Amino acid sequence: DIRVLSRSEYEDRVRSILKKHHADSVTIRYDDGTIRDITAEVIGPARAGHASPFSLKIVGELDTSRAGFDFCVKGPYAYVADGSNGLSVVDISIPSEPKFTGSLKTPGDAKVIYVCGNHAYVSLFRKGIAVVDISNPLHPALTASLEGNALDIFVLGKYAYVVHGEDGLSVIDVINPTRPKVVGTLNTPGMAQDVCVSGDYAYVADFDGLQIVNVQTQSQPKIVGSINAGSHPYGKELWQRICVSGSCAYIVGAGTGLVIVDIRNPHNPQRIGAWPCSETENFEDVSVSGNYAYLAGYSGIRVIDISHPASLKQIAFLSHQDNRRIALSGTHAYVTSLMGNLKVIEIQHPVP
């Protein structure tokens, strides 16, 4: 006799198969468009002749008191944009014992931060940008500020690239950190949310898609290529965060999952891979190292094997809610959450 299984029964069967084959998870798309990530309850040990599992383990944690909106890791320190607390400096030299070592009250709520050299560039959202001298991490000092609206910031060489939502992109000369000045502006078709710069190009995620901007002449930034965001069973993708590594851009956002775009030809970018998210989960951030993309999402941290973009595979998952930003350094990942803490995660790569 044929018996129709309920979804819960079917998913239990799937879990049994995952455990039997020592796999961690699989994504199921039902006929009604529902997407479910099914994770094995127990991951079996490595079989003889096979690689040991890729694993993630929380080894340290620090309460930042506010939502850790963004952060950067440089050497033994993490620099946290800590909302109304301003800039917080965390000593991470001992991963299991992160601790505060310095702080600075910024002119507005610290939302986003980028560290370059001896300076941190802090987005204050509607109150502009603060430039902070961090040559002494124990005593960060305000160097300069610039008015305006700033959603995200990226610094490369002598210039800072700032996105402003509906006001697009600005290029700021920071060769003299005490006197930052705007040297170029560009309106983008959508609401510019995030920017990453590599070589002569700035890559802007602007909700509606990806804009590739030639910034070789900083005073005259120009869009040379673009690709539109797609759709999903629940509506339109919103491209919000971007990471550029090698010849690809990795993009996440509301309803987007992970999208991989080939940017070898900046005039004609091509979508070459995607990893869907479920209806109840968004990926807030992405960081890439080698053949792996690390996704910070509402339900946890996922590691995706991106060596073959057309056939992506999840190889690790750490269940932990409300993750916001993720950064990698050595054998550790650092994650901030909407609840106001910084977690240190040990990454154990597979070994033969």
Side-chain angles (χ1 to χ4, degrees), residues 111-340:
K111 301 289 189 180
V112 176
I113 186 169
Y114 195 95
V115 172
C116 184
N118 288 325
H119 290 86
Y121 301 83
V122 184
S123 162
L124 308 176
F125 195 41
R126 298 190 183 280
K127 292 191 176 181
I129 297 168
V131 183
V132 180
D133 185 338
I134 55 170
S135 55
N136 182 350
L138 303 182
H139 300 287
L142 184 66
T143 298
S145 60
L146 190 66
E147 294 183 352
N149 179 27
L151 294 185
D152 206 279
I153 186 167
F154 191 100
V155 182
L156 181 65
K158 303 174 183 178
Y159 297 94
Y161 301 83
V162 181
V163 288
H164 311 276
E166 62 184 8
D167 294 326
L169 171 73
S170 290
V171 184
I172 300 172
D173 183 336
V174 292
I175 189 171
N176 181 352
T178 65
R179 293 186 177 182
K181 60 180 180 180
V182 177
V183 295
T185 60
L186 174 72
N187 286 327
T188 57
M191 300 279 289
Q193 299 293 303
D194 192 20
V195 59
C196 188
V197 182
S198 179
D200 292 333
Y201 297 96
Y203 301 86
V204 179
D206 72 347
F207 269 167
D208 295 333
L210 169 66
Q211 309 301 323
I212 301 180
V213 182
N214 188 317
V215 292
Q216 187 173 18
T217 303
Q218 286 81 10
S219 60
Q220 298 177 334
K222 179 182 179 181
I223 295 175
V224 296
S226 64
I227 182 171
N228 292 331
S231 60
H232 55 85
Y234 326 111
K236 192 178 186 302
E237 294 176 346
L238 297 177
W239 291 7
Q240 295 172 276
R241 294 286 292 178
I242 183 170
C243 173
V244 172
S245 179
S247 61
C248 291
Y250 301 85
I251 302 165
V252 296
T256 300
L258 168 67
V259 172
I260 303 178
V261 177
D262 186 333
I263 55 173
R264 285 176 294 181
N265 181 353
H267 300 274
N268 186 28
Q270 297 291 320
R271 180 172 177 148
I272 58 172
W275 179 267
C277 62
S278 66
E279 184 177 10
T280 58
E281 179 176 34
N282 286 325
F283 298 136
E284 289 283 317
D285 200 13
V286 55
S287 190
V288 174
S289 177
N291 289 327
Y292 305 108
Y294 295 74
L295 307 178
Y298 288 168
S299 67
I301 304 299
R302 300 178 188 274
V303 183
I304 308 297
D305 185 335
I306 55 175
S307 55
H308 302 287
S311 56
L312 301 178
K313 178 184 178 182
Q314 179 174 297
I315 60 170
F317 173 74
L318 176 65
S319 179
H320 178 262
Q321 293 185 337
D322 295 329
N323 304 287
R324 184 175 180 86
R325 295 288 180 259
I326 184 167
L328 308 173
S329 181
T331 58
H332 291 88
Y334 302 86
V335 180
T336 53
S337 78
L338 297 172
M339 303 303 294

Side-chain angles (χ1 to χ4, degrees), residues 44-55:
R47 293 169 289 172
H50 288 71
S52 60
F54 194 117
S55 66

